[in-house]
Amino acid sequence: MLAAFKEAKDTLKGKKKKPSKLIKPEEPIRAEVKVETAKVSKLKPSKEKQAPFELATEKKVFSNPLEQKKTAKHKAAMMINEQNFSSFIGIVKGVNFNDPEQWRNASYHTKQYYQGYVQSSIQVAYEKGQVIKLNSGWKPLIILPHSHELWLDADDKQLRAFAGVEVSSVPVSDGKVMTLSKVNPKEEGFSTELDKFQEMNAFVWKLACWTSKGRYPAVLNISDPIYLKQWPNFTRLVITPHAMRIAALLVVGPRSMLDIIKVLKVKPQYVFIFVSAAYAIGILGQSKRQADQIITAEVPAIKSVQKKSLFSRILNKLRG
Amino acid sequence: MSQYKIIFTGPVGAGKTTAIGSLSDVPLMKTDEAASDMTKERKAETTVAMDYGIMNINEGEKIHLYGTPGQERFDFMWDILTVGGIGLVLLLDNSRADPFKDLQFFLKSFAGFIQETGVAIGVTQMDVSTRPTIDDYHRQLKELDMSIPVFSVDAREKKDVSILVQALMFSLDPGIDEE
């Protein structure tokens, strides 16, 4: 190890002209790649040298002090394990997740909760390209579509409590439960309280988790395949139990919620809560094509037992 | 005892050395030299051969963490370092002039290794430059027919780097037992 280091260093300093023992002179430096067999990528290894890489080192922005003060927005992920799931997420009364017969009833209507109003408001803000305020009779929520941010004067504990309550039918004004109003950011005082800004998807994701509490959105069918458009940005999200495994399985191809439960051998509420959160931020959908229902994606090739065990040990180490 | 390694790559200043330092159980072994070219505008010293750290995962069992030099002129090290690797962590600096060019360059350079193993992408400096967004990266990857993890990462945060490597493990095999 150390010898390899020294050799490489010496070579780079020009002390040693001979090639490293690790490189046989007759061998090409670049590994040959069978591009035609590539399944995961259309990328081909470069045959021609590109422009020296140092040319692209110019920085666009040297500092962004305002952005860096948005601490909530750049906060690291929170990992929830099976032990603290109920205490952090909450419990749904009336559903016994141990009884498969009851799984079909473990759904909820987002429109009956704050989550539904927030999602509708976000949609309006994007369609109009306008900063808007959601007046809910609780804390005002300001939606900033241009920067994909939200501003809310409430902590997570308060949000979690409000998320789980079905929205009262008592109108706020003009017979409406919640109202929207245009906002001029220059006139409102919120923009100086930078720690209250949150990234849009991170906010909606956790709101969906606290509304779902282990249920799935009623608009989805538990038996029909669902697909994941992309990996969620897990480092900035609440990571519920087995969420990364579920994501890894779903990016391979469509699969029903029932199938995910069976293949990964996980409790249904962990699948349902992931589906709720991913659906809320728009990266998960239900397959409409008949072909997706007939052809369910194959289970990814499971590595050798030895590799599987190694990956498990790495995971255990990383999770402390 | 088998030797396994995870490779960290990416352009100059993306945070490879810092990321390895966040995970390593031993002091990092570095081959830094004073930057002499345009790299010096970004950092005083840069990795010229490799960075090396160790993650102890079991009694006597280690995962070797290798960081490649960021500059292309040291790319002869890249193929050497990937031999026997179990996966690739690609770190991209969002404050660079053209991070998508970096993305394509590194995916292309490591295409063979990625094909045999897997890759997870961490985007650093997102608190300095908020664009492109993570969704923009996914759009780029979609054009390349790739569905891989792309996360915002602060390389100084062990948790961020840990989640990125965990995602790499799951993308290699979603069947791994978590608990």
Side-chain angles (χ1 to χ4, degrees):
Chain A
M1 180 68 238
L2 285 168
F5 256 89
K6 190 173 181 310
E7 191 174 25
K9 242 181 151 176
D10 289 346
T11 306
L12 292 163
K13 283 179 177 173
K15 289 179 185 173
K16 213 168 181 177
K17 297 290 180 192
K18 287 181 185 174
S20 161
K21 286 176 188 171
L22 296 169
I23 310 169
K24 292 177 187 171
E26 65 272 19
E27 285 179 353
I29 287 177
R30 283 207 176 277
E32 193 181 325
V33 180
K34 292 174 184 172
V35 177
E36 66 273 16
T37 61
K39 287 177 186 170
V40 294
S41 168
K42 287 177 182 171
L43 280 171
K44 296 175 182 179
S46 53
K47 288 178 182 172
E48 294 173 11
K49 282 277 180 193
Q50 301 198 354
F53 211 66
E54 297 87 314
L55 289 178
T57 57
E58 181 193 341
K59 256 190 184 271
K60 280 187 306 195
V61 184
F62 290 95
S63 67
N64 194 343
L66 287 181
E67 184 64 30
Q68 286 166 336
K69 283 179 186 164
K70 293 177 181 174
T71 48
K73 194 176 161 187
H74 301 287
K75 197 167 64 178
M78 183 176 285
M79 292 195 83
I80 312 299
N81 58 30
E82 292 194 23
Q83 283 72 40
N84 59 23
F85 179 80
S86 297
S87 59
F88 185 79
I89 298 295
I91 299 166
V92 179
K93 289 176 184 167
V95 179
N96 178 7
F97 287 101
N98 294 321
D99 178 7
E101 295 296 319
Q102 294 193 30
W103 293 352
R104 288 182 190 279
N105 303 326
S107 65
Y108 74 109
H109 293 274
T110 55
K111 286 180 180 172
Q112 292 173 355
Y113 295 88
Y114 184 55
Q115 181 195 340
Y117 290 90
V118 171
Q119 287 183 252
S120 299
S121 309
I122 289 171
Q123 197 176 342
V124 171
Y126 274 100
E127 280 170 5
K128 295 191 180 299
Q130 167 74 45
V131 179
I132 59 169
K133 186 194 283 184
L134 172 64
N135 307 293
S136 60
W138 184 54
K139 312 269 184 183
L141 176 78
I142 296 167
I143 300 161
L144 302 104
H146 305 104
S147 54
H148 307 292
E149 292 171 322
L150 291 151
W151 187 94
L152 178 68
D153 186 15
D155 60 27
D156 281 357
K157 206 173 170 183
Q158 293 170 308
L159 179 65
R160 182 169 50 191
F162 192 59
V165 181
E166 283 199 45
V167 173
S168 163
S169 55
V170 178
V172 172
S173 68
D174 295 337
K176 290 177 181 172
V177 177
M178 296 195 192
T179 59
L180 294 177
S181 54
K182 284 185 181 178
V183 170
N184 184 344
K186 288 175 185 170
E187 291 172 6
E188 298 268 342
F190 74 89
S191 53
T192 55
E193 296 184 69
L194 297 170
D195 59 327
K196 296 189 170 84
F197 280 89
Q198 303 197 40
E199 201 277 327
M200 187 94 70
N201 282 349
F203 179 87
V204 174
W205 178 280
K206 69 184 173 188
L207 178 60
C209 286
W210 286 325
T211 312
S212 150
K213 298 188 193 310
R215 297 171 296 175
Y216 61 92
V219 292
L220 299 177
N221 186 310
I222 195 172
S223 316
D224 291 342
I226 48 174
Y227 60 87
L228 192 63
K229 293 177 195 167
Q230 64 191 51
W231 276 79
N233 183 17
F234 276 124
T235 50
R236 298 293 173 266
L237 302 173
V238 171
I239 305 178
T240 49
H242 306 282
M244 282 202 262
R245 293 177 71 198
I246 299 166
L249 187 69
L250 273 179
V251 291
V252 177
R255 200 173 276 280
S256 74
M257 286 184 250
L258 291 175
D259 198 31
I260 298 167
I261 295 165
K262 193 175 151 192
V263 169
L264 295 182
K265 299 182 181 71
V266 293
K267 289 181 180 174
Q269 55 268 49
Y270 303 144
V271 175
F272 297 161
I273 196 169
F274 172 84
V275 167
S276 298
Y279 184 68
I281 64 167
I283 60 168
L284 183 143
Q286 190 129 49
S287 299
K288 296 278 185 264
R289 293 177 306 165
Q290 204 177 1
D292 286 338
Q293 297 187 23
I294 297 163
I295 309 161
T296 309
E298 287 178 22
V299 179
I302 303 300
K303 309 286 175 188
S304 67
V305 175
Q306 193 190 2
K307 274 267 172 73
K308 205 178 182 70
S309 168
L310 169 72
F311 296 163
S312 274
R313 293 196 298 279
I314 295 173
L315 276 179
N316 287 338
K317 165 72 181 180
L318 291 168
R319 296 192 168 189
Chain B
M1 183 68 65
S2 301
Q3 303 287 313
Y4 300 103
K5 53 185 178 180
I6 297 173
I7 315 301
F8 289 72
T9 194
V12 172
K16 302 179 291 293
T17 307
T18 310
I20 292 172
S22 296
L23 290 185
S24 180
D25 291 318
V26 299
L28 210 63
M29 211 177 283
K30 298 190 280 189
T31 55
D32 279 2
E33 289 293 333
S36 57
D37 46 29
M38 283 186 73
T39 303
K40 71 186 174 190
E41 289 175 15
R42 300 185 67 83
K43 53 202 286 200
E45 289 195 326
T46 191
T47 303
V48 291
M50 62 184 136
D51 291 321
Y52 175 68
I54 296 172
M55 209 165 63
N56 297 313
I57 57 167
N58 227 336
E59 286 176 18
E61 193 173 26
K62 301 174 194 310
I63 297 292
H64 304 272
L65 309 170
Y66 286 90
T68 68
Q71 297 173 66
E72 194 204 10
R73 62 197 169 100
F74 300 131
D75 67 354
F76 64 91
M77 288 300 299
W78 298 356
D79 294 318
I80 298 168
L81 291 177
T82 53
V83 175
I86 57 174
L88 183 72
V89 172
L90 169 57
L91 293 175
L92 298 169
D93 177 350
N94 216 40
S95 69
R96 279 166 62 98
D98 191 350
F100 291 155
K101 188 177 167 190
D102 297 347
L103 172 76
Q104 299 211 356
F105 174 84
F106 281 96
L107 289 179
K108 204 174 270 190
S109 299
F110 287 89
F113 181 60
I114 292 169
Q115 174 63 32
E116 287 170 11
T117 59
V119 60
I121 299 174
V123 183
T124 62
Q125 306 283 359
M126 290 206 75
D127 58 341
V128 173
S129 177
T130 56
R131 288 176 192 275
T133 64
I134 295 296
D135 285 347
D136 294 330
Y137 282 95
H138 281 295
R139 274 188 279 276
Q140 288 283 317
L141 289 167
K142 191 146 271 182
E143 286 176 19
L144 303 170
D145 203 16
M146 297 180 91
S147 293
I148 52 181
V150 185
F151 302 158
S152 316
V153 164
D154 181 339
R156 297 163 298 183
E157 286 287 335
K158 183 177 182 177
K159 200 183 220 178
D160 278 11
V161 184
S162 166
I163 290 169
L164 186 62
V165 177
Q166 287 179 47
L168 173 65
M169 296 298 115
F170 284 120
S171 62
L172 292 171
D173 187 351
I176 314 167
D177 289 332
E178 264 193 45
E179 290 171 310

